[in-house]
Amino acid sequence: MASPSHGTKIAEIAQRILIVRGQRVLLDSDLAELYGVRTERLNQQVRRNRGRFPADFVFQLAINELRGNLLQNARGSRKHRDPRRPPIAFTEQGAFMAASVLSSPRAIEMSIYVVRAFIPPQSLGRSGLPQTSGKIANCELATRHQVSGGQGRR
C-alpha cells in the first residue's frame, strides 16, 4: 500500500492536470517544477529531442486555450505571461518521455508520481492503487533501468 506521502504527491500532481483539446495534460511550467528543472531547460530538451515527442505527446497551446484553462483550473499556471512563448502541454506519455530525456534523478523519481496522477480515479481500487498495474510496473522497471545506468541483473 502506498504511504500517505505518496498519495499526497499524486493528489497534488493530479490537481495540476488540465483538460485541453480533450486530453489530460500538464503544462511545461508545472512539469518543470515537478522535475526540478527550469521551464526553459525542459522546453529546450523537447526541441533538441523532437523525434521523441510526437504531436500526441506534446503540443503548444494557443493563448486563448491558456486563458480558458486558467478558468478551468483556478490554481492555474501564472508562469506563462509572455504571449511570445505560449506553454507546451504534455500528455501522460510526453511527461514520461520528458523525464527520460532529462534523466535527472529527481525527474526519474517524480515521473512515477506523474504517471500515477494521470490514471483516472475510477480505475483505482480500494487501496488507491491501479487495479491494472502492468503499465505502472513497466514504468517503474524502465525508471529503475535508467537509474542504474542500464545495468540490470545478469
Side-chain angles (χ1 to χ4, degrees):
M1 188 156 129
S3 71
S5 65
H6 290 122
T8 302
K9 285 180 185 178
I10 293 167
E12 289 173 2
I13 295 167
Q15 288 179 337
R16 296 177 183 209
I17 295 174
L18 303 172
I19 306 293
V20 179
R21 301 180 193 172
Q23 296 187 55
R24 294 166 45 108
V25 300
L26 281 170
L27 296 182
D28 54 0
S29 57
D30 290 330
L31 196 59
E33 182 182 329
L34 291 168
Y35 288 171
V37 297
R38 293 180 38 219
T39 305
E40 297 83 19
R41 168 121 166 85
L42 174 64
N43 292 340
Q44 179 184 55
Q45 289 303 314
V46 170
R47 285 190 304 274
R48 285 184 177 170
N49 294 280
R50 197 66 195 139
R52 293 181 178 215
F53 293 96
D56 59 329
F57 282 27
V58 298
F59 54 91
Q60 196 155 29
L61 271 74
I63 294 301
N64 62 341
E65 287 177 307
L66 177 62
R67 286 186 188 116
N69 281 301
L70 287 177
L71 295 174
Q72 168 193 324
N73 182 4
R75 185 202 61 74
S77 174
R78 291 182 171 77
K79 296 178 185 174
H80 284 288
R81 295 179 190 260
D82 185 352
R84 295 173 297 165
R85 297 193 182 255
I88 295 174
F90 288 80
T91 63
E92 176 182 357
Q93 295 84 1
F96 193 71
M97 184 62 70
S100 71
V101 168
L102 292 169
S103 70
S104 71
R106 171 133 174 113
I108 292 168
E109 174 192 350
M110 291 305 294
S111 68
I112 298 301
Y113 297 112
V114 169
V115 170
R116 286 185 173 147
F118 270 99
I119 297 170
Q122 62 269 24
S123 70
L124 299 178
R126 280 181 267 148
S127 68
L129 295 175
Q131 291 174 330
T132 55
S133 59
K135 186 175 187 179
I136 298 299
N138 288 339
C139 291
E140 288 176 343
L141 185 61
T143 300
R144 278 192 231 119
H145 181 74
Q146 286 181 339
V147 170
S148 69
Q151 299 171 353
R153 290 185 293 177
R154 295 181 192 248

